[in-house]
């Protein structure tokens, strides 16, 4: 897995490349938490799932953890480019209902 | 015809979760699973092997056995550990139940949803065995057709 | 740190040659092999497992064991069968020597050329064990650098 | 593995897609031998290796077998689009020396 981040104002864009599972999710968590600690004005986390080849409940767990953290600090988390196979596990896990899911960056920013 | 099988033994290291799911997916490709079904198999195996890594051997890595077999056009996956075991299997199966605060408690739910059949046997301090089965939807239709034609 | 291993058991079916080489390649990816080195590993494993399928168990399929391990930044591959065995190992290793008229007699040559080290033990009617080792060229350089920085 | 064939006059073009090993090489052999039996005026076999992802000595063996067959019937065999990793096993096996290896169809036809 490889993670790219880009901050524009109070929004942190995160692109995950590869598989998000028990092995790789700690690295995702660390990367995001570091940025959130560094810039306390970040209020919106936008995670791009275009290049996510796999996710299981360990991966969903760290996404949910970041969702909770953003809510705590009065912000929010959006997911973009969630493909059909990923959507299924998002749905089963209940994340689909609580998270903002958008088609692309622009839509996520608009809401 | 000898029907195929693949028996694996590896230590419960996080990096082996990905290897295990890749091997299960490659083995499963012998049957006529759709890509969506292969994805479901990958998730189920990932959950079962992750459970061995986190719950069965929380302290230091232990042995995981994964047996893959084809039986009557079914994929049969058996995943076994010799770790901590599960006290109450019915409770463990409940959605969002987890003995680890940071985890979602959805592993067993995913395994049950994505496979046709899932069974667990466990003994505290002896270990846990999970058996999962899946039948290719398309494969059964084709088998029917080829018998007719 | 527990160093990683993967032990496999499967029947000597031709379709398992591809599975075996894919598993070896995926396991090898833990070390810093180049793509060209991974290709060489795939060929070596393919040759060794094909030999079990054709020569060790010419009649009906038998058991193949493949053990993969990381030892001191080396990939160690052990492939074992309980089949026919080799009468004269030195002769078998010669380029173009084959007991099958249609085959090239290059399997053992490829294994020796593509791996850093290759050893064979065999007993007629008992079986054959091949052990191959390979060290990533790049990995050794990197290990040095990371120690310095 | 998947094989595509195209016959133009006395030349049979064969495109191999996938891995050529112990498991798949019998199918390659059959396909080619069938065509050769069907059209006895085929004198040139051009094998395109563009999409060959893997070859080992079992795969090279069936190529050599077809080379011998073509020589027997007074024809020849050419290989095109042989990538660097394949070239190494072609070289080690000696096939590189005896077979015609060309960049593309046009070159193979020209010689
Ligand atoms: N192989 C295992 N060994 C020991 N305990 C297990 C095993 N698999 C599952 N469990 C227990 O069952 C519970 C529920 O498992 P699961 O549904 O996969 O959720 P999670 O992994 O998120 O906790 C775990 O929290 C654990 O207590
Ligand atoms: N696992 C094995 N079991 C029995 N015989 C073997 C085995 N591996 C190799 N041999 C013998 O060694 C010979 C040379 O092997 P190899 O160089 O791989 O060439 P090839 O497979 O083309 O014959 C084989 O023809 C066979 O007689």
């Amino acid at each position: 897995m490889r993670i790219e981040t880009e901050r524009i104002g109070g929004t942190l864009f995160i692109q995950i490349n590869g598989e998000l599972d028990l092995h790789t999710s700690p690295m995702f968590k660390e990367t995001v938490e570091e940025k959130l600690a560094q810039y306390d004005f970040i209020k919106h986390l936008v995670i791009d799932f275009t290049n996510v080849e796999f996710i299981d409940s360990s991966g969903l767990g760290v996404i949910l953890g970041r969702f909770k953290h953003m809510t705590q600090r009065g912000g929010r988390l959006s997911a973009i480019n969630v493909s059909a196979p990923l959507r299924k596990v998002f749905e089963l896990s209940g994340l689909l209902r609580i998270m903002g899911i958008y088609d692309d960056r622009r839509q996520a920013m608009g809401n | 015809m000898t029907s195929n099988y693949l028996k694996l033994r590896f230590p419960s290291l996080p990096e082996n979760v990905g290897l295990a799911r890749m091997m299960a997916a490659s083995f499963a490709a012998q049957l006529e699973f759709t890509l969506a079904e292969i994805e479901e198999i990958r998730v189920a195996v990932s959950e079962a092997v992750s459970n061995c890594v986190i719950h069965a051997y929380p302290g230091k890595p232990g042995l995981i056995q994964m047996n893959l077999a084809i039986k009557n056009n079914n994929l049969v996956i058996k995943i076994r550990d010799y770790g901590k075991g599960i006290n109450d299997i019915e409770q463990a199966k409940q959605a969002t139940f987890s003995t680890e605060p940071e985890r979602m408690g959805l592993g067993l739910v995913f395994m049950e949803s994505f496979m046709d059949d899932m069974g667990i046997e466990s003994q505290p301090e002896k270990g846990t065995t999970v058996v999962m089965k899946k039948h290719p939807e398309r494969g059964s239709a084709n088998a029917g057709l080829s018998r007719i034609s």
Side-chain angles (χ1 to χ4, degrees), chain A, chain B:
Chain A
M1 193 196 50
R2 201 168 40 80
I3 296 176
E4 292 159 55
T5 62
E6 183 188 354
R7 189 184 53 77
I8 301 181
T11 302
L12 182 65
F13 294 97
I14 301 157
Q15 166 119 30
I16 307 174
N17 304 282
E19 307 192 315
L20 199 61
D21 68 359
L22 183 69
H23 182 47
T24 58
S25 51
M27 177 189 149
F28 167 80
K29 180 178 167 180
E30 258 171 52
T31 309
V32 176
E33 291 301 318
E34 235 168 58
K35 292 281 172 196
L36 292 182
Q38 197 178 353
Y39 306 103
D40 59 4
F41 51 84
I42 293 177
K43 286 283 179 278
H44 192 186
L45 218 64
V46 180
I47 307 180
D48 188 343
F49 286 87
T50 312
N51 297 329
V52 174
E53 287 150 19
F54 178 81
I55 194 165
D56 60 11
S57 77
S58 303
L60 294 169
V62 291
I63 304 285
L64 180 63
R66 283 348 93 211
F67 172 84
K68 287 182 182 166
H69 187 170
M70 291 312 291
T71 309
Q72 259 168 35
R73 63 196 256 162
R76 63 200 179 97
L77 184 150
S78 308
I80 62 174
N81 297 314
V82 180
S83 66
L86 294 188
R87 201 171 269 268
K88 194 155 55 180
V89 293
F90 270 82
E91 199 174 336
L92 259 175
S93 69
L95 273 176
L96 200 64
R97 278 197 311 278
I98 61 171
M99 270 179 18
I101 302 222
Y102 305 100
D103 286 350
D104 51 33
R105 273 190 182 209
R106 218 177 15 177
Q107 258 200 35
M109 300 300 289
N111 280 67
Chain B
M1 212 195 84
T2 303
S3 69
N4 209 356
Y5 66 83
L6 175 60
K7 298 183 181 182
L8 301 125
R9 301 161 70 91
F10 52 89
S12 64
L13 299 171
E15 57 262 46
N16 289 340
V17 175
L19 269 181
R21 99 181 145 242
M22 200 215 45
M23 289 182 282
S26 305
F27 185 83
Q30 293 169 68
L31 294 178
E32 299 199 58
F33 287 113
T34 60
L35 284 183
E37 287 170 328
I38 295 278
E39 266 314 297
E40 296 178 334
I41 293 164
R42 291 176 77 208
V43 174
V45 167
S46 201
E47 299 297 347
V49 175
S50 296
N51 280 347
C52 301
V53 177
I54 311 158
H55 304 300
Y57 305 110
K60 70 180 183 49
L63 173 68
I64 300 177
Q65 285 174 297
M66 177 164 88
N67 290 1
L68 306 167
I70 311 274
K71 282 182 191 153
N72 303 319
N73 204 36
N74 270 281
L75 174 69
V76 183
I77 303 177
K78 185 164 153 181
I79 294 171
R80 179 170 191 173
D81 67 62
Y82 299 87
K84 229 174 118 185
I86 303 173
N87 277 315
D88 182 340
I89 294 178
E90 282 319 305
Q91 185 188 46
K93 279 184 177 179
Q94 279 162 32
T96 76
F97 175 84
S98 177
T99 45
E100 295 285 321
E102 290 248 317
R103 294 191 54 81
M104 297 195 84
L106 287 178
L108 298 176
V109 174
F110 281 6
M111 286 150 68
E112 283 205 306
S113 316
F114 290 153
M115 302 295 283
D116 295 340
D117 194 68
M118 199 261 288
I120 308 181
E121 267 181 43
S122 189
Q123 246 185 293
E125 307 311 323
K126 288 273 160 82
T128 302
T129 305
V130 173
V131 180
M132 303 185 282
K133 292 182 189 146
K134 196 174 178 80
H135 186 73
E137 280 306 319
R138 191 169 57 177
S140 39
N142 279 8
L145 278 177
S146 64
R147 239 174 282 133
I148 290 162
S149 65

